[in-house]
Amino acid sequence: MNIVVLNGSPKGELSVTLQYVRFAARKFPEHTFTIFPVAQTIRKLEKDEKAFDEVISAVRAADAVLWSFPLYFLLVCSQYKRFIELIFERHAQAAFAGRYTASLSTSIHFFDHTAHNYIHAVCDDLEMRYLGAYSPAMFDLMRKSERNRWLAFMQKFLEGTARQAPSARVYPPLAFPDFTYTPGPAAAPVDAAGKKILIMKDGRQPAGNADALADALAARFGGAAEVVNLMDIDIKGGCLGCCKCGIDNVCDYQGKDGFIDFYNEKVKKAEVVVFAGAIHDRYLSSRWKMFFDRSFFNTHTPTLIGKQIAFLISGPLGQIPNLRQILTAFGEFQESNLAGIVTDESADSTAIDALVAELADALVRPAVPGYAPPMTFLGVGGRRIFRDEVYGMLRFVFQSDHRYYKKHGLYDFPQKNYRVRRMNAFMMLLTKIPSVRKKFLKTLTQEMVKPVKTIAETR
Ligand SMILES: Cc1cc2nc3c(=O)[nH]c(=O)nc-3n(C[C@H](O)[C@H](O)[C@H](O)COP(=O)(O)O)c2cc1C
């Protein structure tokens, strides 16, 4: 069989993920693997339709397609995202329809599931036959057991393709509402109390109602908010994955375009940061993705701590819980307060006006100043992955993260808690005595609530 591999790493041949593909190709010599570096060559594919058509023709002739990509900022990289947008913009969906497919990523498992959900949904939109996702940690291929596991996945994928295994659509098609938001007459503006408010829109067409939402929110602040169109920022390209920023947060693009200055001077210095955009396929635009990827020059440290943030989204966000999870997670790991997400899904301008007004208020007048909710699994789990990786394998590459984590007490490993360790050792010994164990089990729930109950009753 002929397998077309869509390599989604900006590093092309130097992709770690691609080594999994090369390994599989060696182990299954009866099949041909044709690899296209679509992320690395995205500029060419955008400009040169013949080059793009070459990829599409290969897909059309393939028995199966493998999406092979690194995780970038909870998704695929902006260049790969752009390739996916081109498929739809250039009406090339038919080449993908009916093809068997699977997705492969490498990562540190930080939101790898949201990236695979995204690709799976795109495959469903392309009417492909999706047979599964494979998401190893970056260096898993070094271990024999993991190599075998990967080959088992590939065996299953190839075998499923050969016998035309049935596959069900998991993500229903999206229904985009046909509605134009017309903001009502401006009410008295909210007092921004001198706060720096930044509203960013991506300027990518079709923008749906995203610009109108951004303008309506800006109007609520009566000129106190700065509205920036990302198209007006000189951004030379997507993140290249070179990781040169790891040592001291100096990006390879430093001095070559305007993104870093914009991020440092405008985004980091604002107290309120609003992101406005339309849904393109199952995410925002690739321009937004480029913004998030390029912000990676800050590596694994939060840059929006304590800020009020919000998203203004045009499109069917309610039908894409995966995207809502990504936006929520973003707020959590940035340690900011996600004050709200307003969409145009109600298709009711008056109702949207009310939500925009409420959001404006919440952004500059939170009920309790400086409020940020406690993190959920998204933030807590993500932070622990970062903590372990930066402490471990990634430390020498991401030295500035290491310094930050040390300084800010983020190396909060449980093994450092000597009081709890002593207590555990003592209690484990004690509960070996049958009579103590019996009493322990009998009073466990009372003992568990005791310290919290005391606080609740006395403080
Ligand atoms: C800009 C950037 C963003 C990243 N974002 C994530 C992420 O969200 N989750 C994750 O687990 N790994 C993330 N990574 C790590 C890469 O996914 C990982 O290093 C991957 O193995 C690189 O694969 P490649 O060599 O095929 O490009 C990121 C790396 C870069 C450079």
Side-chain angles (χ1 to χ4, degrees), residues 9 11 15-17 70-71 73-74 106-110 138 296:
S9 173
K11 293 184 286 178
S15 159
V16 169
T17 322
L71 248 288
F73 226 93
L74 300 78
T106 61
S107 69
I108 58 167
H109 293 306
F110 180 81
M138 238 178 130
F296 187 73

Side-chain angles (χ1 to χ4, degrees), residues 165-177:
S167 76
R169 179 169 192 144
V170 168
Y171 298 97
L174 297 176
F176 281 80

Side-chain angles (χ1 to χ4, degrees), residues 199-352:
I199 302 176
M200 293 177 284
K201 50 189 188 179
D202 59 347
R204 241 307 142 65
Q205 297 304 322
N209 293 307
D211 290 354
L213 285 165
D215 294 343
L217 184 67
R220 293 292 306 149
F221 296 119
E226 182 174 6
V227 182
V228 171
N229 182 338
L230 291 188
M231 283 300 184
D232 296 335
I233 309 293
D234 172 28
I235 311 178
K236 288 268 183 296
C239 172
L240 303 169
C242 66
C243 293
K244 289 181 187 166
C245 53
I247 302 275
D248 48 15
N249 298 123
V250 178
C251 174
D252 202 41
Y253 282 104
Q254 187 99 39
K256 295 178 189 156
D257 74 7
F259 181 80
I260 295 143
D261 286 347
F262 170 68
Y263 199 90
N264 285 336
E265 294 306 315
K266 296 284 182 186
V267 183
K268 284 187 186 170
K269 290 190 177 161
E271 288 150 290
V272 172
V273 182
V274 181
F275 305 82
I279 287 172
H280 292 248
D281 54 71
R282 299 271 175 163
Y283 185 79
L284 303 171
S285 70
S286 54
R287 187 74 176 176
W288 264 125
K289 192 66 196 22
M290 192 182 277
F291 172 93
F292 290 121
D293 290 358
R294 285 289 307 275
S295 74
F296 187 73
F297 75 90
N298 299 290
T299 52
H300 304 90
T301 58
T303 54
L304 306 180
I305 299 172
K307 296 185 195 302
Q308 301 295 317
I309 68 163
F311 290 94
L312 301 171
I313 308 278
S314 178
L317 181 66
Q319 298 165 49
I320 318 174
N322 195 52
L323 178 53
R324 185 174 284 272
Q325 188 181 144
I326 289 172
L327 304 181
T328 311
F330 177 75
E332 290 199 12
F333 68 75
Q334 288 294 351
E335 298 179 36
S336 51
N337 179 39
L338 178 52
I341 302 177
V342 173
T343 78
D344 58 357
E345 288 166 290
S346 66
D348 176 341
S349 292
T350 313
I352 297 170

